[in-house]
Every structure is written in structure tokens, then in C-alpha cells.
Amino acid sequence: MRWFFLLLLVLNLFYYVWHQQQAPLRAKAVEPMEMYRGAQQGIRLLDASDRARVRPELARPSAVVGDETCLFLGSFQQEDAARQVEQRLIALDIAAEVRSVDAAAGLDYWVYLAPLASRQASLRQLKELQARKIDSYIITQGDLANGISLGIFPRNDSAESVMQRLRDAGYEPMLRELPRAQRSFWVRIAPESRRLADDALQQLASDFKDLQHQIMPCESVASTQ
């Protein structure tokens, strides 16, 4: 019985091997080359317009830093007045800050004598001028140090009159023009608070005469500490 079982097992193995040798080989399915080329023809690089359609955010220019505008209230000749407006706005939860601006307001005229070879020589000259009853002071700083200042005048004709007097006394005075700056103060309101500030403008205008408001770049006016 055991031999019979072994015989059947051998026969089954023999049949399996014979069947595998007789089975035809199956080729792996490969897509035609035309289909591959056709897929390649459907691929192309996206240009700017295509990118804009696919991703609209790419078509929008990026925001320019520093191009925000603020509301400025002013101008105030005294900083205290500007601080009052600032505090009233802050009490209303409006972002406000005092800023200062220096504007040209004409010229001053400085009459002086150039520095001499030494400080001692300039001091002797100073004593001579004071003996002639001419107001004069030694200059201690700057490019004219050890020179002699004869006064700063708001009008050119006043400066010329002093210079002529010095010439008559045998001196050689010189003139330098000095730009005269006038400082004013503005209250800057941040962009996010401009809408809130609109409601407060009417009351502020009635409390502060000649109050002006202008829209300017936020960093156009210097800050004050």
C-alpha cells in the first residue's frame, strides 16, 4: 500500500513538470510606442499666462513695502498741542503718534572774521574789536573755530551794514548764509485707524483751530522721541 502511494506521488510530479514544459510563454504586455509619443506631445511648458490661470496668485504683483499712506493732523507750532491731540486719539483706541518736520523758513546772515594763525592772535583781535565797541565773540567749534563772530542777522541789508562798518575800521569781514528751519508737529494716524479717526475729526477741528489733515506716506515725517 505504501509503495502504491509513493508511485502516485511520483506520477503526479512527473505530470506537473511535463505540463509546465508544454505551456506557451506569455509575453509581457507593452504599450505601443505611438501611444508613448502621443503622451509626450501632450506635455508642454507653462508660460506666464498659463501659470496665471493655474495659480492666480502668481499673476498678482507682490505688495510694495513702505507704500502705505497715513492720515496726518496738524500742523502744530507747539509740541504740547500735538501731544494733546495724540492722547485724545489714543483714548479712542486710535493708533496715533506725534511726528516733527523741519521746513526751510528763509535765511540768516552770519558776519564773521576768519580765524587767524593762532588762538592768541584771534584773542588780540577780539580785544581790539571790543575796544571799538563792536559786539564780537570768539568761535569755539566747527570749521571757523578761533574765528570771530560779529552777529547773525535775519536780513541781508543789516548784515551788509555791519560789514561796511568793519571795512571802514580796516577789517575784512566775511558773510555766510545759514538756512533757517522752522519745526512743526503733526499727529500721524496709522492706516488701520483711519476709519475710526474720521468720526473724531469734526470734534478735533472745533477744538483746535486751523487743524489740517493730509494723506501722506507713513514715513514721510520724522518721528519725535
Side-chain angles (χ1 to χ4, degrees), residues 118-130:
S118 65
R119 182 175 178 82
Q120 289 74 14
S122 295
L123 289 174
R124 286 195 297 268
Q125 190 177 58
L126 177 64
K127 290 180 180 180
E128 292 175 2
L129 291 167
Q130 292 177 345

Side-chain angles (χ1 to χ4, degrees), residues 14-49:
F14 178 79
Y15 177 77
Y16 175 78
V17 173
W18 176 82
H19 183 271
Q20 290 296 324
Q21 292 177 349
Q22 296 299 320
L25 295 176
R26 294 183 180 180
K28 183 179 180 180
V30 179
E31 293 181 356
M33 183 61 68
E34 288 75 14
M35 294 181 62
Y36 176 73
R37 292 176 179 173
Q40 279 190 325
Q41 292 175 356
I43 300 175
R44 65 184 180 86
L45 296 176
L46 295 178
D47 57 18
S49 60

Side-chain angles (χ1 to χ4, degrees), residues 35 44 97 105 135 149 170 199 202 208 210:
M35 294 181 62
R44 65 184 180 86
E97 180 184 8
D135 292 335
S149 174
D199 299 331
Q202 185 174 1
F208 296 89
D210 301 324

